[in-house]
Amino acid sequence: MSALPISALDEAAALADADMLEIERPDGDPEAVPPVPNSGLRVTSAKLLAYLFSKIVGGSGIRLSLASGTLTLESGGASSVEVAGASATLSLAHANRFIRFNNATAQTVTIPPQSSVAWPDDCQLEGAQWGAGAVSFVAGSGVTLRKAADISATSGGQYKPLGIKRVALNEWLLFGQFGGA
């Protein structure tokens, strides 16, 4: 890969999803014997743009989706969302919002697998038990729920903060103020 300044590149009319972009990091040593090349990678334009936009809009309440070559930005709407009722399944509508788990009696909240919800990498959902009913998290089919040995997967009480973070494909970590095991 030869080094060219961006200003020397020809402008493309459009990039297709499958177009490959080469990215190079100048960490090699051309003076070494034998010369050590710079490290680089090849990535599709769609993947690079999706990654960049996800970092820009992450936490902003804006949703980003890429489907069939179309990149869509959507307003996140309200900064919080309420989950009421005896049971609920989490979705992308809960991402990047404060979740008020608000029910007078116990709630069971299911974390669905990646095959059901296109969870982004490093997705994190936060909220609190808002109503009197305790909130219990359960893993959907194929999902692993990780937590400290001394806590349960049930909220620790009204107004106590809680959250889950996706740490790998179909693997989530509970954090916050949960009840004892």
Side-chain angles (χ1 to χ4, degrees):
M1 186 179 344
S2 62
L4 285 175
I6 290 177
S7 60
L9 297 174
D10 292 329
E11 186 173 327
L15 288 175
D17 290 353
D19 284 346
M20 297 297 291
L21 302 174
E22 292 186 2
I23 300 172
E24 183 178 80
R25 180 173 45 202
D27 58 356
D29 183 1
E31 304 300 320
V33 177
V36 177
N38 293 334
S39 60
L41 68 104
R42 290 175 53 86
V43 63
T44 64
S45 57
K47 187 172 183 176
L48 178 64
L49 288 172
Y51 174 80
L52 290 173
F53 276 112
S54 71
K55 294 302 180 186
I56 292 168
V57 301
S60 69
I62 296 174
R63 288 189 299 276
L64 173 75
S65 62
L66 177 65
S68 302
T70 302
L71 189 64
T72 305
L73 291 172
E74 301 175 84
S75 170
S79 60
S80 66
V81 63
E82 185 171 290
V83 173
S87 64
T89 299
L90 294 174
S91 71
L92 290 178
H94 299 104
N96 299 321
R97 291 179 174 77
F98 183 83
I99 306 167
R100 294 175 189 230
F101 295 97
N102 194 6
N103 204 45
T105 59
Q107 289 182 296
T108 301
V109 177
T110 302
I111 304 166
Q114 190 74 21
S115 60
S116 298
V117 176
W119 296 112
D121 292 343
D122 297 322
C123 182
Q124 184 167 303
L125 305 170
E126 299 172 336
Q129 175 189 324
W130 215 252
V135 181
S136 295
F137 287 91
V138 297
S141 177
V143 173
T144 300
L145 191 57
R146 306 258 185 225
K147 62 179 186 55
D150 63 340
I151 66 167
S152 69
T154 302
S155 59
Q158 194 168 21
Y159 306 118
K160 290 191 175 181
L162 50 87
I164 58 171
K165 180 165 183 71
R166 181 176 172 249
V167 294
L169 185 67
N170 292 322
E171 185 176 344
W172 293 80
L173 175 70
L174 282 174
F175 63 90
Q177 296 183 7
F178 285 89

